[in-house]
Amino acid sequence: MAHLESLMQRNFLEYSSYFVLDRAIPELRDGLKPVQRRILHTLFSMSDGRFHKVANVIGETMKLHPHGDASIGDALVVLANKDYFIEKQGNFGNLATGHRAAAARYIECRLTDLALETLFHKSLTEFVPSYDGRSPEPVRLPAKLPVILMLGTEGIAVGMATKLLPHNLTELWEAQIAVLEGKPAELFPDFPQGGLMDVDAYEDGRGKVEVRARVNVRDKKHVVISEIPYGTTTESVIASIEAAAQKGRVKVSSIDDFTTDHVEIDLTLARGVTAKEVVPQLYAYTDCSVSISSNVTVIDNRKPVQLTVTEIINVLTEQLKLQLKAELEFDREQLLDKQHWLTLEQIFVEKRVYKRIEEAKTEESVRSEVMKGMAKYKKLFVRPMVEEDVKRLLEIRIRRISAYDIEKNRRDILEVEKKIAALDKKLRNMKKTTILYVKALIEKYSDRFPRRTEITRIKAVDKKAKDI
């Protein structure tokens, strides 16, 4: 019995740890759950500029994801409807009405330019074998965006849950600039459905917000709902209005839903009732007003932690700076490699080192003569010469040597030196470099991401007074 108990405890602990770390809770650094990361990595590996059938993307992602095609398809549609990283073609459902997407074989997708620019860098990505050992998958994406605050997410794991509300991308970028400049930054949610929002109780992500539908008075007999709260659909809002009307709490005589791409729920008021009476009734008794709690639990260094929104933006801004530095250093190393080779090639041809190999009889002596001949000019080297450099020099064809353009080579070396100097300048002041990078993103993309939810002070409706 004791053995069975210990076995159950160990297995349950392993199961719960797996569920927390590898399924339900997003990773702080790239803001993604494993299935989302696998979808984006798969789309990147498939990327050729054209749209791909979602069914094909799901099939390719299954090489990395052990939980079946349905979970991948659902996650892809949800991620695509965030409108940040996946460009859609076809019917991906409707957030407002709650209608589902068409079958995966009928819809297509590809990565957006924002995703391609900010989420990937193959050379700086750590990979591990997939669940079956056949394919490499990223531990996390080298994201240069505050993804976790952009997307918002919900997850229920064993013994814990998370609910991060989505924020406005342009405001997140502006907050990152403020953090880099040592200024205070305050962030509030922004929902794709729009609406009105009171943030008095948000408490930096540890509290809640109240979100209301946008209700407009069309005329004396009609009010129109044009935006609905986050987490609701037109069907759920209409159902709540109908339920309240049956109880006599909302005085409307008919409801007409004209929603297409934009929400339009037309309410005809009951006889003798004014819009001034009905609008507060809608907020008091229906889903036209909802309270949304925020619970920021994320995975950091393979451990679940609870953070505030401010703490997250601070961490991700520092990460952005480190990521940009790593990419600049990588680019610098690539340029140094190029400069090193151009310099060796220049010496080998201009100083006629290749002539030394004419008398050599063996492969070893050929290599030795090249090493000796090049060693005379080691003061000109970018870095010490190695055996691989000798092999590469010996692969230069006679035709290339005879047609060698000295002036072009020198121009190429000068161009590389200029690029290295520019990178060195950026690396000396990473704070300024990071600010300029974020400002460039704002200039390029901010028009696509306006704030949709209006922040306002919402006056509470006294339900008791309404019921009297």
Side-chain angles (χ1 to χ4, degrees):
M1 192 69 179
H3 172 71
L4 182 61
E5 185 177 341
S6 64
L7 182 68
M8 290 295 291
Q9 284 180 341
R10 185 176 73 251
N11 288 348
F12 180 75
L13 184 62
E14 287 180 4
Y15 165 75
S16 59
S17 297
Y18 165 74
F19 211 94
V20 169
L21 297 175
D22 293 318
R23 289 196 66 180
I25 311 296
E27 216 278 344
L28 171 62
R29 306 290 166 168
D30 66 4
L32 301 169
K33 296 181 182 181
V35 65
Q36 295 173 322
R37 186 179 302 115
R38 289 162 181 158
I39 289 166
L40 290 171
H41 172 68
T42 298
L43 277 168
F44 182 64
S45 64
M46 295 173 70
S47 181
D48 59 4
R50 294 179 293 181
F51 282 94
H52 306 280
K53 287 281 187 186
V54 167
N56 290 342
V57 179
I58 292 170
E60 287 296 311
T61 307
M62 284 182 72
K63 295 177 181 177
L64 307 177
H65 194 66
H67 301 297
D69 61 333
S71 62
I72 297 169
D74 290 345
L76 191 153
V77 168
V78 169
L79 193 56
N81 282 325
K82 302 284 186 182
D83 290 329
Y84 287 118
F85 303 139
I86 299 178
E87 188 177 347
K88 303 172 290 187
Q89 189 162 275
N91 176 17
F92 274 73
N94 190 317
L95 284 178
T97 63
H99 291 156
R100 292 179 59 81
R105 61 187 178 276
Y106 299 127
I107 55 179
E108 298 179 320
C109 68
R110 65 183 176 190
L111 290 174
T112 63
D113 51 350
L114 176 67
L116 290 167
E117 183 176 346
T118 59
L119 292 186
F120 307 98
H121 195 297
K122 193 172 182 180
S123 301
L124 297 178
T125 303
E126 181 186 353
F127 289 90
V128 294
S130 60
Y131 69 95
D132 63 0
R134 287 191 173 96
S135 307
E137 66 168 307
V139 174
R140 63 170 174 254
L141 299 183
K144 298 191 289 292
L145 291 174
V147 176
I148 201 162
L149 293 176
M150 292 163 55
L151 298 181
T153 188
E154 288 186 57
I156 300 174
V158 180
M160 67 179 62
T162 187
K163 186 164 185 175
L164 281 90
L165 305 183
H167 292 70
N168 180 266
L169 179 53
T170 302
E171 292 175 10
L172 289 170
W173 279 330
E174 289 169 348
Q176 287 191 305
I177 292 173
V179 169
L180 290 162
E181 293 176 342
K183 299 174 182 176
E186 195 172 30
L187 289 163
F188 299 113
D190 184 30
F191 305 114
Q193 291 92 333
L196 311 173
M197 175 178 64
D198 190 324
V199 297
D200 281 355
Y202 188 51
E203 296 177 7
D204 205 13
R206 288 181 170 168
K208 61 182 180 179
V209 293
E210 184 178 350
V211 186
R212 286 185 173 180
R214 191 177 292 277
V215 182
N216 304 306
V217 179
R218 176 173 289 173
D219 53 47
K220 291 181 180 180
K221 297 299 295 178
H222 297 87
V223 295
V224 177
I225 299 171
S226 58
E227 294 174 4
I228 57 176
Y230 179 69
T232 67
T233 64
T234 51
E235 287 185 7
S236 67
V237 169
I238 290 170
S240 70
I241 296 171
E242 288 173 341
Q246 286 175 1
K247 295 175 183 176
R249 288 175 165 172
V250 176
K251 297 180 173 106
V252 297
S253 61
S254 66
I255 304 170
D256 295 297
D257 186 6
F258 301 115
T259 300
T260 52
D261 291 340
H262 302 284
V263 173
E264 186 179 351
I265 303 171
D266 192 317
L267 306 179
T268 304
L269 308 186
R271 185 174 296 177
V273 178
T274 65
K276 190 176 180 181
E277 295 174 67
V278 171
V279 172
Q281 291 170 356
L282 290 171
Y283 290 143
Y285 300 114
T286 75
D287 283 353
C288 286
S289 180
V290 297
S291 181
I292 306 170
S293 296
S294 173
N295 175 30
V296 184
T297 302
V298 298
I299 301 299
D300 187 21
N301 293 322
R302 300 294 290 173
K303 295 177 183 175
V305 293
Q306 285 196 311
L307 300 172
T308 64
V309 170
T310 300
E311 287 169 340
I312 288 177
I313 202 67
N314 287 337
V315 169
L316 295 184
T317 302
E318 181 61 27
Q319 177 187 287
L320 171 61
K321 191 162 69 172
L322 293 174
Q323 181 64 34
L324 288 173
K325 184 179 180 183
E327 292 186 9
L328 290 171
E329 287 174 342
F330 176 82
D331 291 343
R332 188 180 187 278
E333 196 61 34
Q334 298 296 107
L335 287 170
L336 281 174
D337 285 345
K338 186 175 181 180
Q339 184 188 17
H340 173 67
W341 170 246
L342 287 171
T343 303
L344 292 183
E345 188 182 49
Q346 180 187 43
I347 294 167
F348 187 70
V349 177
E350 285 189 38
K351 307 299 183 183
R352 303 175 73 81
V353 174
Y354 62 89
K355 288 285 186 181
R356 297 177 66 102
I357 66 176
E358 291 175 355
E359 303 300 322
K361 304 296 183 185
T362 66
E363 186 177 341
E364 189 176 332
S365 61
V366 167
R367 291 175 179 274
S368 176
E369 286 299 324
V370 172
M371 273 290 194
K372 288 176 185 175
M374 296 295 289
K376 294 180 183 179
Y377 309 100
K378 64 182 178 181
K379 288 183 180 179
L380 301 175
F381 292 178
V382 174
R383 59 168 176 253
M385 191 171 159
V386 295
E387 191 66 32
E388 188 64 31
D389 295 323
V390 176
K391 182 180 177 183
R392 192 172 171 187
L393 287 170
L394 290 170
E395 288 174 353
I396 297 176
R397 296 178 180 273
I398 295 296
R399 184 186 296 174
R400 177 163 167 73
I401 292 174
S402 61
Y404 187 72
D405 188 335
I406 293 173
E407 289 304 316
K408 182 180 183 305
N409 179 274
R410 288 176 179 171
R411 287 196 303 272
D412 289 345
I413 291 175
L414 188 62
E415 185 67 28
V416 171
E417 288 172 347
K418 285 180 180 177
K419 289 179 179 178
I420 291 172
L423 290 177
D424 286 338
K425 185 178 179 182
K426 289 181 177 180
L427 284 163
R428 281 194 295 272
N429 191 345
M430 281 310 303
K431 177 179 162 182
K432 181 181 178 183
T433 298
T434 308
I435 290 172
L436 289 174
Y437 176 80
V438 176
K439 284 183 175 178
L441 289 177
I442 291 174
E443 185 175 348
K444 187 174 181 180
Y445 295 109
S446 63
D447 289 347
R448 297 188 199 176
F449 309 113
R451 170 165 276 281
R452 293 183 174 93
T453 305
E454 181 184 340
I455 298 173
T456 185
R457 181 67 61 86
I458 291 175
K459 186 178 179 182
V461 178
D462 188 345
K463 291 187 180 181
K464 291 182 179 178
K466 291 282 168 204
D467 290 337
I468 293 173

